[in-house]
Amino acid sequence: MSLVTVGSVAFDAIETPFGKTDKIIGGAGTYIAFSSSYFMKNQNIVSVVGEDFPQEMLDKLSNKGVNLEGLQIIKGEKSFFWSGKYHNDMNSRDTLVTELNVLEHFDPIIPASYQGCEYLMLGNLSPDVQLKVINRMEKRPKLVAMDTMNFWMDIAMDDLIKAIAAIDILIINDEEARQLSGEYSLVRAAKKIREMGPKYLIIKKGEHGALLFHGENAFFAPALPLEDVFDPTGAGDTFAGGFMGYLASTDDISFENMKRGIIAGSAMASFCVEKFGTERLENLSKSEIEDRIQEFVQLTNFDMVKSV
Ligand code: AMP
């Protein structure tokens, strides 16, 4: 099975209570690609960077098996730049700077080799670009998932609603679900958002885990309790990459398998937050990932013979 990922490949500057970074590599597409690369080999990225983007990082992605044919490098222009500062609880953050640069006029190209992909992950990007990608796929993929953020709700709500109507799964955080639906209760928010189009909805709640909604069914997975969280940036994208990578590698989009996908995504996200940027995601071993998934199984496993 093959996965196409669309998302920003970018520079970030991050401030957390534990420290501060200068410009480091980030971007939703980067996190998704690193994370899904541990589950499957046939994966492809659609994105854009400026001339300032280091070749070394592109090499790291291609060494992980990520096909970069759909990644445009625009001469004389600068890569997308985002800067954020986390509050003491590490669950909430303020965006300090968003410089769109190459993303402002990004016209996504889908190489012929990407056509026919079965799984499409629309990472956080302008909804106009996300829609263009869906429309430029000659055959609709079997499963289309999408992430977005408040930034796009504030400036491009009309396009965002069109994109949401065209997908199967929306993956957003609790704050975004509330903003999108105008409902405080997440159960009500989930209902309203699914009426907008997607059959499935995943609401990420940071250190409080993730919820999956479909029809009358719901599933909840906790986040792994970690002693140290250094930098939550990209955790949501890493989660999405693990989730989609797992579904694509097993080629099973049943609700039961999506539960396993959520555990795979949560395990990957738990690695992401342990170091700044993509560092922790760059060199994981299969056994480390397997052990972490088993920690989730242990965390949520219990027997209950008698109830009342
Ligand atoms: P997350 O922490 O999962 O929300 O993702 C953070 C990543 O999203 C960072 O690496 C940023 O480069 C990227 N990002 C932030 N804002 C935007 C935006 N408006 N469009 C695309 N990517 C963004």
Side-chain angles (χ1 to χ4, degrees):
M1 290 302 122
S2 64
L3 170 69
V4 169
T5 292
V6 188
S8 48
V9 173
F11 288 119
D12 290 345
I14 301 154
E15 207 178 318
T16 79
F18 298 101
K20 209 174 157 176
T21 67
D22 284 331
K23 272 191 176 181
I24 58 169
I25 303 299
T30 314
Y31 284 102
I32 296 168
F34 269 122
S35 179
S36 55
S37 73
Y38 290 97
F39 296 89
M40 57 178 309
K41 286 288 153 249
N42 194 355
Q43 54 155 328
N44 313 279
I45 199 160
V46 174
S47 192
V48 62
V49 292
E51 213 177 359
D52 53 355
F53 201 79
Q55 183 60 42
E56 186 200 342
M57 197 60 187
L58 299 181
D59 293 343
K60 281 188 187 171
L61 282 168
S62 71
N63 289 340
K64 286 265 172 238
V66 181
N67 184 355
L68 302 179
E69 221 186 310
L71 182 119
Q72 301 171 42
I73 303 174
I74 310 290
K75 280 227 163 78
E77 287 199 36
K78 282 161 70 179
S79 302
F80 174 77
F81 173 66
W82 174 82
S83 159
K85 183 176 176 179
Y86 286 86
H87 301 170
N88 280 341
D89 68 1
M90 296 287 262
N91 245 356
S92 49
R93 71 181 178 205
D94 294 323
T95 289
L96 304 177
V97 182
T98 300
E99 286 174 15
L100 290 176
N101 299 326
V102 284
L103 279 192
E104 198 168 348
H105 302 292
F106 177 40
D107 191 23
I109 295 170
I110 318 290
S113 62
Y114 291 18
Q115 294 293 353
C117 85
E118 297 87 356
Y119 291 82
L120 176 60
M121 176 65 220
L122 301 166
N124 184 15
L125 261 186
S126 117
D128 167 54
V129 170
Q130 292 174 318
L131 263 175
K132 279 190 180 139
V133 172
I134 298 176
N135 293 332
R136 289 177 186 177
M137 302 299 304
E138 286 160 12
K139 184 168 164 268
R140 192 189 189 278
K142 185 169 170 178
L143 192 75
V144 181
M146 178 181 145
D147 182 14
T148 187
M149 72 186 292
N150 49 3
F151 180 82
W152 302 112
M153 292 178 205
D154 294 339
I155 66 164
M157 195 54 142
D158 289 350
D159 278 345
L160 184 60
I161 286 175
K162 283 187 210 149
I164 290 175
I167 58 157
D168 302 303
I169 314 184
L170 185 66
I171 307 176
I172 50 178
N173 70 29
D174 43 357
E175 209 182 301
E176 292 155 354
R178 289 183 172 122
Q179 183 171 346
L180 184 62
S181 64
E183 293 283 354
Y184 187 80
S185 148
L186 291 181
V187 175
R188 276 188 202 198
K191 206 166 162 212
K192 269 205 177 171
I193 293 169
R194 281 179 303 141
E195 281 164 8
M196 294 163 85
K199 293 185 287 297
Y200 298 87
L201 173 70
I202 294 179
I203 301 182
K204 300 167 289 179
K205 288 160 60 68
E207 65 170 326
H208 305 299
L211 285 153
L212 166 67
F213 294 94
H214 171 60
E216 294 303 309
N217 298 320
F219 172 70
F220 171 72
L224 201 66
L226 294 171
E227 237 170 81
D228 296 309
V229 172
F230 277 99
D231 171 19
T233 308
D237 309 309
T238 304
F239 169 90
F243 174 75
M244 285 299 272
Y246 180 81
L247 292 191
S249 71
T250 50
D251 194 24
D252 174 353
I253 56 169
S254 65
F255 186 76
E256 282 309 304
N257 203 47
M258 282 191 190
K259 292 183 185 176
R260 295 182 203 108
I262 286 194
I263 298 298
S266 305
M268 295 309 291
S270 75
F271 287 117
C272 173
V273 303
E274 287 178 344
K275 293 215 168 135
F276 274 104
T278 55
E279 196 183 336
R280 187 73 176 102
L281 289 181
E282 290 174 25
N283 290 301
L284 288 168
S285 67
K286 280 208 182 303
S287 65
E288 273 178 302
I289 297 173
E290 205 50 67
D291 288 351
R292 189 83 31 124
I293 288 176
Q294 288 313 317
E295 279 186 56
F296 271 93
V297 174
Q298 291 311 318
L299 185 68
T300 50
N301 193 14
F302 63 92
D303 274 332
M304 189 164 152
V305 181
K306 201 161 170 270
S307 46
V308 276

